[in-house]
Amino acid sequence: MTVASTTDPAEFRRRAGELLARDPLRHTVIATAVANSEIGPVDRPPLFISAHADERALGIAIHTPGKGLYISRFPESAITDLAALLHARRAELDIVEGPPECAGAFAQQWSALCGRDFRQVDAVRLYRLGDLRPPRVAGRARRAGAADLELCSGWFERFARELDLTVYPDSAAKSISQGQLWLWEDRSGPVAMAAHKLPALGWSRLGPVYTPPEFRKHGYGAAVTAHVSTVLRENGTEACLFADVANPTSNKIYREIGFRPVSDFVLYGAAAAG
């Protein structure tokens, strides 16, 4: 078993494209990162990593500066080599996310190398859209434009604070410029938003989906999610999304409009130094 790394998305696709294409849904995070890197320079070039046996890719992961390590799938026997590769590159790594068995094994290896304790801090569930059932909600959807940038940037920040996530300052601007951010409006104006990622291998991942607290319990988030899902399907792309396992409300809403669970992923975080 060998473990290889590259910042070149084309090289990574040559090495691991068959594995990505074999199950593009479960590999949606890495497939999207490859697609984004291929269309132009990115601010924080990710390191694409693959494990091979007899030149066949058996596992893939991605390390993005500021976002930690995301393991989509990795052989248990190669986890030690994965940790050694990143340690040799002096990777800054406070977060590990992936299937429970992979993320847990890597966190243990990384702790041994760096002397920092890791613990599970979150779990998310991957959903795929089945039979869409749009809710009957007052209002309409529209694509966000340049005039909405200040509002949407604020909502991105509020979303990140509520979930204790990192959001880059230009996230809303990029989503708007790429036509990937939608708003739901009622008579008073925008009341919810939903973005989607660049389509990759037939799938596009929704997120963030956000309704400010003052507009909740009216179905706006479900309505804008259903609308974006409809637009994606009309353009030949299937929709998927992640939901926090600990949030029964969001999981219930997504199931009600037709999303079906696929698998769970966990997130390990490093304990604070000292």
Side-chain angles (χ1 to χ4, degrees):
M1 187 80 67
T2 59
V3 176
S5 64
T6 180
T7 57
D8 182 350
E11 181 180 353
F12 179 72
R13 191 182 288 277
R14 287 193 295 273
R15 290 177 178 173
E18 190 274 334
L19 177 59
L20 279 171
R22 200 185 313 154
D23 194 350
L25 174 58
R26 284 181 173 81
H27 300 321
T28 175
V29 172
I30 295 180
T32 300
V34 172
N36 283 327
S37 297
E38 286 180 329
I39 64 174
V42 294
D43 295 336
R44 304 163 188 85
L47 182 69
F48 299 104
I49 307 163
S50 50
H52 302 261
D54 298 326
E55 298 186 355
R56 185 185 183 205
L58 299 178
I60 49 178
I62 180 174
H63 175 244
T64 305
K67 287 189 175 182
L69 179 72
Y70 185 92
I71 306 175
S72 185
R73 174 183 175 184
F74 226 81
E76 182 179 354
S77 59
I79 292 289
T80 299
D81 291 338
L82 171 61
L85 181 149
L86 290 169
H87 190 257
R89 295 180 64 96
R90 301 180 182 273
E92 295 183 6
L93 190 56
D94 293 324
I95 295 172
V96 180
E97 187 174 359
E101 64 280 5
C102 294
F106 180 87
Q108 184 177 19
Q109 288 290 331
W110 194 249
S111 295
L113 285 172
C114 301
R116 298 184 66 187
D117 292 331
F118 277 72
R119 62 184 180 88
Q120 184 178 329
V121 296
D122 203 358
V124 295
R125 184 159 293 146
L126 175 64
Y127 284 88
R128 62 170 296 167
L129 184 61
D131 295 327
L132 182 62
R133 297 186 293 273
R136 296 173 64 88
V137 175
R140 68 179 186 91
R142 68 169 176 85
R143 203 184 298 268
D148 304 301
L149 177 57
E150 184 176 357
L151 171 73
C152 294
S153 294
W155 283 4
F156 267 68
E157 291 174 4
R158 292 173 70 179
F159 170 83
R161 283 199 302 270
E162 284 190 23
L163 297 181
D164 194 24
L165 300 174
T166 299
V167 62
Y168 297 127
D170 58 352
S171 295
K174 283 188 175 181
S175 294
I176 290 174
S177 68
Q178 295 169 353
Q180 297 170 356
L181 182 58
W182 293 79
L183 296 171
W184 190 267
E185 292 186 322
D186 68 3
R187 292 180 180 178
S188 65
V191 291
M193 72 173 185
H196 70 87
K197 311 303 182 187
L198 184 71
L201 300 177
W203 291 89
S204 180
R205 193 171 68 262
L206 277 67
V209 177
Y210 183 69
T211 305
E214 60 269 28
F215 299 130
R216 291 175 186 172
K217 299 185 179 180
H218 297 286
Y220 298 138
V224 70
T225 299
H227 178 82
V228 175
S229 299
T230 298
V231 172
L232 290 171
R233 274 199 168 166
E234 288 175 347
N235 287 280
T237 302
E238 288 298 317
C240 63
L241 54 81
F242 285 107
D244 187 346
V245 171
N247 187 332
T249 300
S250 62
N251 284 270
K252 179 175 180 290
I253 289 171
Y254 294 138
R255 288 174 184 259
E256 286 178 345
I257 63 175
F259 281 87
R260 296 290 175 261
V262 177
S263 58
D264 288 358
F265 296 78
V266 297
L267 187 148
Y268 281 80

